[in-house]
Amino acid sequence: MQQNNLSSKELEQYNYHRSALIELCDRAGGVLNEARNIQNRTEHYETPEAQLKADSYTLVLIGEFQSGKSTLFNYLCDGKELSPVGPNGGGVRTSGCKVTAHPLQDGESNRAVVYWRNKSQLLSALGGLLTVYFENPTSTSYLTEREIDLDKYEDRDKLAGFAWQELLENKKLLKDEELELLRFTLILCKFYDRFAQRCADSKIECNIEDAVRLASYPQDWCKKWQQIEEWEDKELSSFSEDDVNFAFCAGVEYFLDSAVLRELGCSIIDCPGLFVSKWDTEIAERCIKDANAILYMFAGTKALTQGDLKALQATVNMG
């Protein structure tokens, strides 16, 4: 039998060699990726002890929202209040701020680097809300495109209009995380113009005190929102630019002269809560993959949750 001018035997040989070539290409790709990984490593350490001695060991704190990660992180940094803890111990679920503390090297002084979110990262934090927005548009406000350009006032205005409508009409039906997501959206739409240049610049270097201020939530966050929603104050006049820095902050790196960090001999990362938003989860997964050790936090005031089990399984699946 002939097919494409090839006999059955020739076709069989062709398929055999084709499969062999595909397999070789796959193996070559794997070898190339491994070579790149090796090339990108600045040092190779045989044991965790060697990494600890070289200050190249990373411990990541993970867990569900409000599991005590930030409290432990601050304790390990000699009790300094570096990682944001929200009002009454409850932070804003959409903040997604990764906080890292490094022990100082000899001859260095305390300092910090603050990283700002770019446009795509800001929109990632709104992933859940934007899905609802596009799939269930209200009759009065919706976007016709499936993308939002934060640089366009009309896009921000429409998105804010949707958030206000949901907030004012359906507040009693909203879960806490949905409520915070809408509030975060309104802050983003209102203040984006003032932060656009910082987001484009990506990072700044500053002292420890300024970094803490830029990454922290206002302690009267909930009280201000109660007043705003009661008065239907769409100008958000209770908030200043200094109150909302945290909403645009992607992360902070601290370089500390800390006795505890020196004794531990490693860097510590406080991750956002898993499965809170697309942005939070992406940051947490990236930290987990780069970690040398993971400390999973359980809230001691409540029983093990399905969220904990899901997070632990996800961590195992990452290898």
Side-chain angles (χ1 to χ4, degrees), residues 109-149:
S109 56
N110 286 343
R111 68 186 192 282
V113 180
V114 176
Y115 298 88
W116 301 103
R117 302 193 211 187
N118 59 36
K119 287 196 297 183
S120 63
Q121 291 169 338
L122 288 166
L123 290 174
S124 288
L126 304 183
L129 179 63
L130 293 178
T131 298
V132 174
Y133 184 78
F134 287 121
E135 293 181 354
N136 303 288
T138 64
S139 59
T140 57
S141 67
Y142 65 93
L143 294 177
T144 56
E145 301 293 331
R146 292 191 63 84
E147 294 182 1
I148 290 178
D149 186 349

Coordinates of all heavy atoms in Angstrom, one line a residue, residues 109-149:
S109 N 25.2 48.9 56.4 CA 24.4 49.6 57.3 C 22.9 49.3 57.0 O 22.6 48.9 55.9 CB 24.6 51.1 57.3 OG 24.4 51.6 56.0
N110 N 22.1 49.5 58.0 CA 20.6 49.2 57.8 C 20.1 50.0 56.6 O 20.4 51.2 56.5 CB 19.8 49.6 59.1 CG 20.0 48.6 60.2 OD1 20.5 47.5 60.0 ND2 19.7 49.0 61.4
R111 N 19.3 49.3 55.8 CA 18.7 50.0 54.7 C 17.5 49.2 54.2 O 17.3 48.1 54.7 CB 19.6 50.2 53.5 CG 20.1 48.9 52.8 CD 21.2 49.2 51.8 NE 21.4 48.1 50.9 CZ 22.1 47.0 51.3 NH1 22.6 46.9 52.5 NH2 22.3 46.0 50.4
A112 N 16.7 49.7 53.3 CA 15.6 49.0 52.7 C 15.4 49.4 51.3 O 15.8 50.5 50.8 CB 14.3 49.4 53.5
V113 N 14.8 48.5 50.5 CA 14.4 48.7 49.1 C 12.9 48.4 49.0 O 12.4 47.3 49.4 CB 15.1 47.8 48.1 CG1 14.7 48.1 46.7 CG2 16.6 48.0 48.3
V114 N 12.1 49.4 48.5 CA 10.7 49.2 48.3 C 10.4 49.1 46.9 O 10.9 49.8 46.0 CB 9.9 50.5 48.9 CG1 8.4 50.3 48.6 CG2 10.2 50.6 50.4
Y115 N 9.6 48.0 46.5 CA 9.3 47.7 45.1 C 7.8 48.1 44.9 O 6.9 47.7 45.7 CB 9.5 46.2 44.8 CG 11.0 45.8 45.0 CD1 11.4 45.4 46.2 CD2 11.8 45.9 43.9 CE1 12.8 45.0 46.4 CE2 13.2 45.5 44.0 CZ 13.6 45.0 45.3 OH 14.9 44.7 45.4
W116 N 7.6 48.7 43.8 CA 6.2 49.1 43.4 C 5.6 48.2 42.4 O 6.3 47.7 41.5 CB 6.2 50.6 42.9 CG 6.7 51.5 43.9 CD1 7.9 52.1 43.8 CD2 6.1 52.0 45.0 NE1 8.1 53.0 44.9 CE2 7.0 52.9 45.7 CE3 4.8 51.8 45.6 CZ2 6.6 53.6 46.8 CZ3 4.5 52.5 46.8 CH2 5.4 53.4 47.4
R117 N 4.3 48.0 42.4 CA 3.7 47.1 41.4 C 3.5 47.9 40.1 O 3.2 49.1 40.1 CB 2.3 46.7 41.9 CG 2.2 46.0 43.2 CD 0.8 45.4 43.4 NE 0.4 45.4 44.7 CZ -0.7 44.8 45.2 NH1 -1.5 44.2 44.3 NH2 -1.0 44.7 46.4
N118 N 3.7 47.2 39.0 CA 3.4 47.7 37.7 C 1.9 47.6 37.4 O 1.2 47.0 38.2 CB 4.3 47.2 36.6 CG 4.2 45.6 36.5 OD1 3.1 45.1 36.6 ND2 5.2 45.0 36.2
K119 N 1.5 48.0 36.2 CA 0.1 48.0 35.9 C -0.5 46.6 35.9 O -1.6 46.3 36.4 CB -0.2 48.7 34.5 CG 0.0 50.2 34.5 CD -0.7 50.8 33.3 CE 0.0 50.3 32.0 NZ -0.5 51.0 30.8
S120 N 0.2 45.6 35.3 CA -0.3 44.3 35.2 C -0.4 43.6 36.5 O -1.3 42.9 36.8 CB 0.6 43.4 34.2 OG 1.9 43.3 34.8
Q121 N 0.5 44.0 37.4 CA 0.5 43.4 38.8 C -0.7 44.0 39.6 O -1.3 43.3 40.4 CB 1.8 43.7 39.5 CG 3.0 42.9 38.9 CD 4.3 43.4 39.4 OE1 4.5 44.5 39.9 NE2 5.3 42.5 39.3
L122 N -0.9 45.3 39.4 CA -2.1 45.9 40.0 C -3.4 45.2 39.6 O -4.3 44.9 40.4 CB -2.1 47.4 39.8 CG -1.1 48.2 40.5 CD1 -1.0 49.6 39.8 CD2 -1.4 48.3 42.0
L123 N -3.5 44.9 38.3 CA -4.7 44.3 37.8 C -4.8 42.8 38.2 O -5.9 42.3 38.4 CB -4.7 44.4 36.2 CG -5.0 45.8 35.7 CD1 -4.8 45.8 34.2 CD2 -6.3 46.3 36.1
S124 N -3.7 42.2 38.4 CA -3.7 40.8 38.9 C -4.4 40.7 40.3 O -5.1 39.7 40.6 CB -2.3 40.2 39.0 OG -1.7 40.0 37.7
A125 N -4.1 41.7 41.1 CA -4.8 41.7 42.4 C -6.3 41.9 42.3 O -7.0 41.5 43.3 CB -4.2 42.9 43.2
L126 N -6.8 42.4 41.2 CA -8.2 42.6 41.0 C -8.8 41.4 40.2 O -10.0 41.5 39.8 CB -8.5 43.9 40.3 CG -7.9 45.2 40.9 CD1 -8.4 46.4 40.1 CD2 -8.4 45.3 42.3
G127 N -8.1 40.3 40.0 CA -8.5 39.3 39.1 C -9.9 38.8 39.4 O -10.7 38.6 38.5
G128 N -10.2 38.5 40.7 CA -11.5 37.9 41.0 C -12.6 38.9 40.7 O -13.7 38.6 40.2
L129 N -12.4 40.2 41.0 CA -13.4 41.2 40.8 C -13.6 41.4 39.3 O -14.7 41.6 38.9 CB -13.0 42.5 41.5 CG -13.9 43.7 41.3 CD1 -15.3 43.4 41.9 CD2 -13.3 45.0 41.9
L130 N -12.5 41.5 38.6 CA -12.7 41.7 37.1 C -13.4 40.6 36.4 O -14.2 40.8 35.5 CB -11.3 41.9 36.5 CG -10.5 43.1 36.9 CD1 -9.2 43.2 36.3 CD2 -11.3 44.4 36.6
T131 N -13.3 39.3 36.9 CA -14.0 38.2 36.4 C -15.5 38.4 36.6 O -16.3 38.3 35.6 CB -13.6 36.9 37.0 OG1 -12.2 36.7 36.8 CG2 -14.4 35.7 36.5
V132 N -15.9 38.8 37.8 CA -17.3 39.1 38.1 C -17.8 40.3 37.2 O -18.9 40.3 36.7 CB -17.5 39.5 39.6 CG1 -18.9 39.9 39.8 CG2 -17.2 38.3 40.4
Y133 N -16.9 41.3 37.1 CA -17.2 42.5 36.4 C -17.6 42.2 34.9 O -18.6 42.7 34.4 CB -16.1 43.4 36.5 CG -16.3 44.8 35.8 CD1 -17.0 45.8 36.5 CD2 -15.7 45.1 34.6 CE1 -17.1 47.0 36.0 CE2 -15.8 46.4 34.1 CZ -16.6 47.3 34.7 OH -16.7 48.5 34.2
F134 N -16.8 41.4 34.3 CA -17.0 41.1 32.9 C -18.1 40.0 32.6 O -18.8 40.1 31.6 CB -15.7 40.6 32.2 CG -14.7 41.7 32.0 CD1 -13.4 41.7 32.6 CD2 -15.0 42.8 31.3 CE1 -12.5 42.7 32.5 CE2 -14.1 43.9 31.1 CZ -12.8 43.8 31.7
E135 N -18.2 39.1 33.5 CA -19.2 38.0 33.3 C -20.6 38.4 33.7 O -21.6 37.8 33.2 CB -18.7 36.7 34.0 CG -17.4 36.1 33.4 CD -17.0 34.9 34.1 OE1 -17.7 34.5 35.1 OE2 -16.1 34.2 33.6
N136 N -20.7 39.3 34.7 CA -22.0 39.7 35.2 C -22.1 41.2 35.2 O -22.2 41.8 36.3 CB -22.2 39.1 36.6 CG -22.1 37.6 36.6 OD1 -22.9 36.9 36.1 ND2 -21.0 37.2 37.2
P137 N -22.0 41.9 34.1 CA -22.0 43.3 34.1 C -23.4 43.9 34.5 O -24.4 43.3 34.3 CB -21.8 43.7 32.6 CG -22.2 42.5 31.9 CD -21.9 41.3 32.7
T138 N -23.4 45.0 35.3 CA -24.6 45.6 35.6 C -25.2 46.4 34.4 O -24.5 46.5 33.4 CB -24.4 46.6 36.8 OG1 -23.5 47.7 36.3 CG2 -23.7 46.0 38.0
S139 N -26.4 46.8 34.6 CA -27.0 47.5 33.4 C -26.5 48.9 33.3 O -26.7 49.5 32.2 CB -28.6 47.5 33.6 OG -28.9 48.2 34.8
T140 N -25.9 49.4 34.3 CA -25.5 50.8 34.2 C -24.0 51.0 34.0 O -23.6 52.1 33.6 CB -25.8 51.5 35.6 OG1 -25.2 50.8 36.6 CG2 -27.3 51.5 35.8
S141 N -23.2 50.0 34.3 CA -21.7 50.2 34.1 C -21.0 48.9 33.7 O -21.1 48.0 34.5 CB -21.1 50.9 35.3 OG -21.1 49.9 36.4
Y142 N -20.4 48.9 32.6 CA -19.6 47.7 32.3 C -18.7 48.1 31.1 O -18.9 49.0 30.3 CB -20.4 46.5 31.9 CG -21.2 46.7 30.6 CD1 -20.7 46.3 29.4 CD2 -22.5 47.2 30.7 CE1 -21.5 46.4 28.2 CE2 -23.3 47.3 29.5 CZ -22.8 46.9 28.3 OH -23.5 47.1 27.2
L143 N -17.6 47.4 31.0 CA -16.6 47.7 29.9 C -16.9 46.7 28.8 O -17.3 45.6 29.0 CB -15.2 47.5 30.4 CG -14.7 48.4 31.4 CD1 -13.3 48.1 31.8 CD2 -14.7 49.9 30.9
T144 N -16.8 47.2 27.6 CA -17.1 46.3 26.4 C -15.8 45.5 26.0 O -16.0 44.5 25.4 CB -17.5 47.2 25.2 OG1 -16.4 48.1 24.9 CG2 -18.8 47.9 25.5
E145 N -14.6 45.9 26.5 CA -13.4 45.1 26.2 C -13.0 44.3 27.5 O -13.4 44.6 28.6 CB -12.3 46.1 25.9 CG -12.5 46.9 24.7 CD -12.6 46.1 23.4 OE1 -12.0 45.1 23.3 OE2 -13.4 46.6 22.5
R146 N -12.3 43.2 27.3 CA -11.9 42.4 28.4 C -10.5 42.8 29.0 O -9.9 42.1 29.7 CB -11.8 40.9 28.0 CG -13.2 40.3 27.6 CD -13.1 38.8 27.5 NE -12.7 38.2 28.7 CZ -13.5 37.9 29.7 NH1 -14.8 38.2 29.6 NH2 -13.1 37.3 30.8
E147 N -10.1 44.0 28.6 CA -8.9 44.6 29.2 C -9.2 46.0 29.7 O -10.0 46.7 29.2 CB -7.8 44.6 28.2 CG -7.3 43.3 27.7 CD -6.2 43.4 26.7 OE1 -5.8 44.5 26.4 OE2 -5.8 42.3 26.2
I148 N -8.4 46.3 30.8 CA -8.5 47.7 31.4 C -7.2 48.3 31.2 O -6.2 47.7 31.6 CB -9.0 47.6 32.8 CG1 -10.4 47.2 32.9 CG2 -8.8 48.9 33.5 CD1 -10.9 47.0 34.3
D149 N -7.2 49.6 30.8 CA -5.9 50.3 30.7 C -6.0 51.3 31.9 O -6.8 52.3 31.8 CB -5.8 51.0 29.4 CG -4.5 51.8 29.3 OD1 -3.8 51.9 30.3 OD2 -4.2 52.2 28.1

